[in-house]
Amino acid sequence: MISNRTSNYPPLDPDAVLWSHSKADPDSDLLIMMHGWSYDERHLFALRSRLPQELTIASLRAPIAEAGGYAWFPSSGNPIGDPRPEVANAAVDAALAWYDDLPRFRSVGVMGFSQGGAMALQLMRRRPAEFAYGIQLGGFVVDDAQPGDRQLALTRPPVFWGRGAHDSVIPGSAIRRTAEFSATHLSVDERVYSDLGHDVAGQEVRDLGVFVGGMVDHARTAAEGKP
């Protein structure tokens, strides 16, 4: 396994997090959102009206300023779809440091676009028992090995993987790597949208809303002890 640390990765700014509710309710379900390169915390947060109203959403801002927005992995030295594992894992360390200061929630899901999709999968790999489900939109899996991979291969948590058929940003090699990992470690719901490029829109938004609704219903049913 490659080291999960790099010395100069900046921390997340907790004041930059967008919350769907003014006060986090530990009895609710949490969805953590992570944007892609050059975006910010407002990007995926715009989808909140398409998700269950009772869901608590926390949309994070990546800590590296680039291209008028922010990045999880700086472009220098980190090819698109193939960031250096030590950088990706340092980004995950920063996200987990923020997360560990939160109250406990009934369930926690992770969602991301592009680089943020890689972050979502990497968080699940780092803490396979912590995150109930994942959503990665136009993203990829980091090319490394994690201790949690073995548990994921056993538990196969649900992951929605949406991507555009005309996505010219994420290389084919990264998509193939992600498909191979998903097939052996996740219960993946893969959707390829014929009208999309590197974007989140249209039917994909409706489909991920249904997926998240199902995850929230499942968490509620489990908490109530129903079969």
Side-chain angles (χ1 to χ4, degrees), residues 75-162:
S75 55
S76 177
N78 294 285
I80 296 172
D82 195 19
R84 287 178 289 150
E86 63 268 26
V87 173
N89 285 306
V92 168
D93 285 338
L96 288 173
W98 165 83
Y99 171 76
D100 286 341
D101 284 337
L102 300 182
R104 299 299 89 186
F105 288 80
R106 182 169 62 185
S107 72
V108 183
V110 285
M111 171 179 173
F113 169 67
S114 197
Q115 286 190 352
M119 286 288 293
L121 292 179
Q122 202 71 352
L123 281 164
M124 297 181 76
R125 297 173 72 188
R126 288 284 295 278
R127 293 194 183 173
E130 186 84 36
F131 303 108
Y133 63 92
I135 302 165
Q136 71 104 343
L137 309 169
F140 54 89
V141 72
V142 174
D143 189 10
D144 75 344
Q146 291 293 327
D149 290 347
R150 184 172 183 177
Q151 185 172 344
L152 288 183
L154 294 173
T155 58
R156 299 292 185 97
V159 169
F160 180 93
W161 178 15

Side-chain angles (χ1 to χ4, degrees), residues 7 27 29 38 48 50 68 76 83 95 98 129 136-137 139 170 187 199:
S7 59
D27 293 325
D29 303 288
S38 82
R48 65 190 182 280
R50 311 298 295 270
S76 177
W98 165 83
Q136 71 104 343
L137 309 169
I170 305 302
S187 296
D199 199 2

Side-chain angles (χ1 to χ4, degrees):
M1 183 188 71
I2 299 173
S3 171
N4 291 328
R5 299 286 176 184
T6 191
S7 59
N8 58 354
Y9 196 91
L12 271 62
D13 180 358
D15 294 331
V17 178
L18 287 180
W19 289 91
S20 61
H21 297 73
S22 59
K23 183 178 180 181
D25 179 1
D27 293 325
S28 72
D29 303 288
L30 174 66
L31 176 61
I32 299 169
M33 293 179 166
M34 291 162 287
H35 62 81
W37 184 83
S38 82
Y39 290 92
D40 62 25
E41 66 278 12
R42 296 170 294 178
H43 181 226
L44 294 177
F45 195 69
L47 302 176
R48 65 190 182 280
S49 65
R50 311 298 295 270
L51 300 173
Q53 185 176 6
E54 69 273 21
L55 183 67
T56 297
I57 295 170
S59 189
L60 310 185
R61 177 193 292 175
I64 299 171
E66 282 205 358
Y70 298 88
W72 297 102
F73 323 136
S75 55
S76 177
N78 294 285
I80 296 172
D82 195 19
R84 287 178 289 150
E86 63 268 26
V87 173
N89 285 306
V92 168
D93 285 338
L96 288 173
W98 165 83
Y99 171 76
D100 286 341
D101 284 337
L102 300 182
R104 299 299 89 186
F105 288 80
R106 182 169 62 185
S107 72
V108 183
V110 285
M111 171 179 173
F113 169 67
S114 197
Q115 286 190 352
M119 286 288 293
L121 292 179
Q122 202 71 352
L123 281 164
M124 297 181 76
R125 297 173 72 188
R126 288 284 295 278
R127 293 194 183 173
E130 186 84 36
F131 303 108
Y133 63 92
I135 302 165
Q136 71 104 343
L137 309 169
F140 54 89
V141 72
V142 174
D143 189 10
D144 75 344
Q146 291 293 327
D149 290 347
R150 184 172 183 177
Q151 185 172 344
L152 288 183
L154 294 173
T155 58
R156 299 292 185 97
V159 169
F160 180 93
W161 178 15
R163 59 186 177 89
H166 305 290
D167 188 339
S168 60
V169 173
I170 305 302
S173 58
I175 293 174
R176 289 190 293 273
R177 181 175 69 241
T178 305
E180 291 170 2
F181 179 87
S182 298
T184 54
H185 294 80
L186 308 170
S187 296
V188 65
D189 181 357
E190 182 180 1
R191 307 288 183 97
V192 182
Y193 298 92
S194 60
D195 58 339
L196 279 188
H198 194 61
D199 199 2
V200 181
Q203 185 62 46
E204 182 179 39
V205 174
R206 293 187 284 274
D207 289 344
L208 71 88
V210 171
F211 177 86
V212 175
M215 295 298 100
V216 172
D217 288 344
H218 177 77
R220 182 187 304 111
T221 298
E224 293 172 351
K226 295 178 180 179

